[in-house]
RNA sequence: GGAUAGAUGGCCGAGUGGUCGAAGGCGCACGAUUGGAAAUCGUGUGUACCUGUCAAAGGGUACCGUGAGUUCGAAUCUCACUCUAUCCGCCA
């Protein structure tokens, strides 16, 4: 949701951004938007001068003489009617305008590769060595079965498809990963925060989930409440409507929460195993920084570096993908995905998604700060990145670290979080 | 779930129909005083939008939890909702 003034003054640039993000004129018509804004401004000006006149009259009444009073009241009443009509028209137009503005995506970074869909994403680098097994590697489902690490069939009967129940050392590993990442983030100055998984509707607009992907989110009509798909949703609204001082920035949150996603658009994809489930746990990195692209781009790199470090500490081969304009969501200015190698699928699968949102969310949540330099109030920039998301991250983890006998090695960095053990599994 | 109380500016807090964007205090900023500091004194200190301008100054409109209503006029009256606090019940 860029500034309307910016849109008017930079129409060609904004149109270019819309086109790059795959928006057609039917999706969002800039001319219509600008015309609507002009109409609103004109109407506003006239209704404000009407209000001014009305106020002046009202103020006269108290001191008016007895014979003047009825006249003034009648005149004021008449103005009031006129004013009311204009206000009605104004609120109708504003509603229409606001709806369009809510659909306005962020402008992509000039660095972002241009393309229609994920086929145009660009691999920036490969890190780590893809393992070569001198035995037939098992997939994560088989590894779980032979080690008594899961109750996948049984839990499907209880909780339905795309759910998981993992147990014993694997359950412990899941929690250990989060503890490891939370400790790391804390060492980088993040505040560890556990947040609810339920949310009112407004934060979903603030984050930019709505109005775009209503199908993706669980809704509980009885309580008019939504289930959160990520702690980003909650953290993004936590400081809504505040004016921070610049010295408070950056605000760094390491949010932990259960996450819920309907996966409506993924029917038939990854139906087995731990890759894509309706409920999972995520440790999220969330940053609120000064509203300056240089500053947020710096943090974007920092967040990326932190999650790369996580994958390196876990000794997982991965690649860094720069997501193209057409594959990026509406809120995003620039986005990297990290994908870890999954041996059984012979490909890289997404484990992290790292985005610079610039001021797009801040405008929606009305989160601002007072700049030191000139004392002016400005919108902050927000960024988010996965810290670690499980159980998906367990998939590359146990597959890459498996041995011929079905055991799984624990990388040294993670061993302290597993009670010092080096290997898990029935034969360990 | 039941009962009660409440929601005003960065914070505390006054204000129950008219000049209230809102007293007073605290905080903050600047200035005076000081060798320096504290204390003291003075001045200033919300946000959004419209208008205006090269920029500003200036003028205006709105905002006292949210939404609607009464009224010529609402922080103040009415209704609905939301949230907060306390007590009781239940509960991981």
């Amino acid at each position: 949701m860029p500034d309307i003034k910016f849109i008017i003054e930079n129409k060609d640039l904004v149109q270019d951004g819309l086109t790059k993000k795959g928006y057609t004129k039917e999706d969002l018509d800039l001319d219509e938007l600008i015309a609507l804004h002009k109409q609103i401004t004109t109407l506003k000006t006239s209704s404000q001068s009407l209000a001014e006149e009305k106020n002046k009259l009202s103020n006269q009444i108290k001191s008016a003489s007895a014979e003047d009073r009825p006249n003034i009241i009648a005149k004021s009443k008449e103005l009031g009617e006129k004013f009311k009509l204009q206000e009605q028209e104004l609120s109708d137009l504003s509603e229409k305008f606001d709806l369009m503005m809510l659909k306005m995506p962020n402008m992509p970074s000039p660095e972002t590769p241009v393309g229609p869909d994920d086929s145009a994403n660009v691999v920036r680098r490969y890190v780590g060595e893809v393992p070569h097994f001198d035995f037939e590697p098992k997939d994560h489902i088989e590894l779980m079965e032979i080690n008594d690490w899961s109750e996948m069939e049984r839990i499907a009967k209880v909780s339905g498809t795309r759910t998981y129940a993992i147990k014993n050392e694997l359950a412990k590993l899941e929690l250990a990963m989060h503890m490891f990442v939370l400790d790391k983030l804390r060492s980088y100055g993040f505040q560890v925060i556990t947040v609810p998984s339920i949310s009112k509707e407004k934060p979903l607009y603030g984050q930019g989930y709505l109005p775009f992907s209503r199908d993706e989110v669980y809704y509980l009509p009885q309580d008019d409440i939504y289930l959160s798909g990520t702690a980003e949703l909650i953290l993004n609204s936590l400081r809504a409507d505040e004016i921070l001082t610049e010295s408070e920035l950056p605000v760094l949150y390491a949010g932990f929460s259960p996450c819920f996603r309907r996966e409506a658009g993924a029917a038939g994809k990854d139906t087995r195993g731990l890759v894509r489930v309706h409920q999972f746990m995520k440790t999220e990195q969330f940053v609120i920084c000064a509203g300056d692209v240089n500053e947020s781009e710096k943090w974007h790199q920092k967040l990326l570096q932190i999650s790369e470090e996580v994958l390196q500490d876990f000794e997982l081969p991965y690649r860094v993908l720069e997501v193209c304009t057409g594959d990026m969501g509406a809120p995003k200015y620039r986005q990297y995905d990290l994908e870890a190698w999954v041996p059984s699928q012979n490909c890289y699968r997404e484990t992290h998604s790292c985005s610079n949102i610039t001021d797009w969310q801040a405008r929606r949540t009305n989160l601002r700060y007072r700049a030191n330099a000139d004392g002016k109030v400005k919108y902050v920039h927000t960024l988010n990145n996965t810290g670690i998301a499980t159980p998906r991250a367990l998939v590359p983890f146990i597959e890459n670290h498996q041995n011929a006998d079905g055991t799984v090695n624990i990388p040294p960095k993670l061993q302290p979080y597993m009670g010092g053990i080096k290997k898990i599994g029935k034969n360990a």
Side-chain angles (χ1 to χ4, degrees), chain A residues 50 79-89:
Chain A
L50 219 53
L79 274 178
E81 297 294 321
K82 227 159 135 192
F83 175 75
K84 223 172 193 172
L85 276 171
Q86 285 208 358
E87 283 294 290
Q88 185 57 49
E89 196 183 341

Side-chain angles (χ1 to χ4, degrees), chain A residues 28 111 143 205 269 277 312 350 390:
Chain A
L28 204 66
E111 309 293 324
L143 285 167
Y205 280 98
K269 252 196 278 180
V277 289
Q312 285 165 24
E350 179 184 329
T390 63

Side-chain angles (χ1 to χ4, degrees), chain A residues 91-107:
Chain A
S91 85
D92 289 349
L93 288 175
S94 296
E95 200 179 321
K96 208 169 145 196
F97 176 78
D98 291 346
L99 227 73
M100 280 182 91
M101 284 300 279
L102 278 174
K103 287 190 195 161
M104 176 69 67
N106 202 350
M107 295 295 107

Side-chain angles (χ1 to χ4, degrees), chain A residues 173-182 184 307-318 340 351-352 387-390 393-394 396-398 400-401 409-415 417:
Chain A
L173 178 62
E174 179 177 33
L175 296 174
M177 284 178 157
H178 287 284
M179 282 308 297
F180 175 87
V181 172
L182 287 169
K184 180 183 285 293
S307 45
E308 283 196 63
E309 222 180 88
V310 169
L311 291 179
Q312 285 165 24
D313 289 345
F314 289 176
E315 297 181 13
L316 298 173
Y318 66 92
T351 59
H352 293 70
I388 194 78
T390 63
L394 290 170
F397 191 98
I398 65 176
N400 279 293
H401 294 314
N409 301 324
I410 304 294
K413 290 262 174 73
L414 201 53
Q415 287 168 14
Y417 292 83

Side-chain angles (χ1 to χ4, degrees), chain A residues 4 19 42 66 71 122 129 150 183 223 230 286 301 306 310 319 328 363 367 370-371 405 418:
Chain A
I4 182 65
T19 307
T42 310
N71 257 336
V122 174
E129 297 245 335
S150 69
D183 276 353
D223 299 292
T230 164
F286 190 83
Q301 293 300 321
I306 292 171
V310 169
R319 63 180 191 180
M328 272 192 325
R363 288 178 184 279
L367 176 52
R370 196 177 298 279
D405 62 358
M418 289 292 287

Side-chain angles (χ1 to χ4, degrees), chain A residues 395-408:
Chain A
V395 174
F397 191 98
I398 65 176
E399 289 195 14
N400 279 293
H401 294 314
Q402 66 178 299
N403 301 304
D405 62 358
T407 58
V408 169

Side-chain angles (χ1 to χ4, degrees), chain A residues 99-227:
Chain A
L99 227 73
M100 280 182 91
M101 284 300 279
L102 278 174
K103 287 190 195 161
M104 176 69 67
N106 202 350
M107 295 295 107
S109 152
E111 309 293 324
T112 299
V114 176
D117 52 44
D118 60 0
S119 66
N121 294 345
V122 174
V123 178
R124 290 296 184 207
R125 57 184 170 272
Y126 291 88
V127 180
E129 297 245 335
V130 168
H132 295 284
F133 298 102
D134 50 14
F135 56 91
E136 190 57 39
K138 302 170 181 64
D139 72 15
H140 74 280
I141 297 169
E142 199 179 342
L143 285 167
M144 292 198 296
E145 277 164 5
I146 62 175
N147 286 306
D148 192 27
W149 280 342
S150 69
E151 292 287 3
M152 296 302 280
E153 291 85 3
R154 289 188 179 113
I155 204 60
K157 287 185 211 160
V158 179
S159 304
T161 55
R162 293 201 195 283
T163 60
Y164 74 103
I166 56 177
K167 57 183 186 174
N168 300 323
E169 297 145 304
L170 194 63
K172 194 172 169 181
L173 178 62
E174 179 177 33
L175 296 174
M177 284 178 157
H178 287 284
M179 282 308 297
F180 175 87
V181 172
L182 287 169
D183 276 353
K184 180 183 285 293
L185 288 172
R186 206 164 50 123
S187 79
Y188 277 113
F190 286 71
Q191 306 182 63
V192 172
I193 179 168
T194 63
V195 296
S197 301
I198 58 177
S199 170
K200 299 189 198 181
E201 188 174 65
K202 205 171 167 198
L204 279 93
Y205 280 98
Q207 182 202 19
Y209 234 86
L210 292 178
F212 301 101
S213 347
R214 192 171 280 279
D215 285 351
E216 259 308 302
V217 56
Y218 283 104
Y219 173 63
L220 279 47
Q222 194 174 12
D223 299 292
D224 190 25
I225 208 94
Y226 293 82
L227 292 186

